[in-house]
């Protein structure tokens, strides 16, 4: 399998899951501005949506959409315990989190990163993010991870997205449980490996 990624982007989430699951994989870095891959491919030809992550399977088939990619990966190694069994209520709970993270958090960041977005719009987006953070902070007050004691694919995704708060100068002091959670996830050896491989922390 090959994961097309951009350092620190949402592709960090499946990258973490690949390592947590102990799967064999290759990485190919994408320059998201120029839409070129490390081996010189036109990234539009790899993914007509022009976005990471892309997971290329050994048979050449490509899977996109981070919340789906992480579920596919976890299902390759059920013993790793990164995703509850299909059909169980807990599986739907993880999917509930994945959907919340993708629709209520992930997609709010893009316009805030963009220099051309009006400041007033950025302010409103940050306020909205803050309301979601209130909710997650309360949830994490009594839990190590979103699902309790067990790290799941939803944590790989939430961690990835919460890291971006530093880039938009959103101080997490107001949400102490989020801050502790980020540190807890960041300390996981496989998360450290993924961040080193992407050049996000010193190797
Ligand atoms: N719906 C996609 C969105 C992926 C996405 O937003 N990727 C961003 C990086 S976090 C990207 O590649 N942006 C470049 C662009 O849109 O040109 C998913 O959930 O995987």
């Amino acid at each position: 399998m090959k994961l097309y990624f951009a350092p620190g982007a949402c592709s960090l989430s499946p990258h973490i899951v690949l390592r947590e699951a102990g799967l064999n994989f290759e990485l190919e870095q994408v320059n998201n501005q120029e839409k070129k891959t490390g081996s010189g491919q036109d990234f539009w030809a790899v993914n007509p949506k022009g976005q990471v992550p892309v997971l290329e399977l050994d048979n050449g088939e490509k899977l996109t959409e981070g919340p789906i990619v992480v579920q596919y990966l976890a299902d390759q190694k059920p013993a790793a315990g990164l995703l509850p069994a299909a059909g169980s209520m807990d599986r739907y709970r993880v999917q509930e989190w994945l959907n919340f993270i993708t629709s209520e958090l992930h997609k709010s960041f893009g316009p805030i990163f963009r220099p051309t977005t009006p400041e007033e719009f950025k302010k409103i987006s940050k306020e909205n993010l803050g309301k979601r953070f209130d909710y997650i902070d309360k949830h994490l007050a009594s839990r190590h991870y979103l699902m309790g004691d067990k790290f799941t694919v939803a944590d790989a995704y939430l961690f990835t997205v919460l890291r971006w708060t530093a880039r938009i100068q959103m101080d997490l002091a107001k949400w102490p449980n989020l801050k502790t959670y980020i540190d807890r996830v960041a300390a996981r050896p496989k998360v450290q490996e993924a961040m080193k491989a992407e050049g996000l922390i010193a190797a």
Side-chain angles (χ1 to χ4, degrees), residues 9-11 32 35 50-53 64-67 102 106-107 157 164:
C10 49
S11 43
N32 237 342
K35 300 296 174 203
Q51 291 177 314
V52 292
T64 61
E65 301 302 319
T102 206
H106 179 170
K107 283 292 142 182
Y157 193 19
W164 301 338

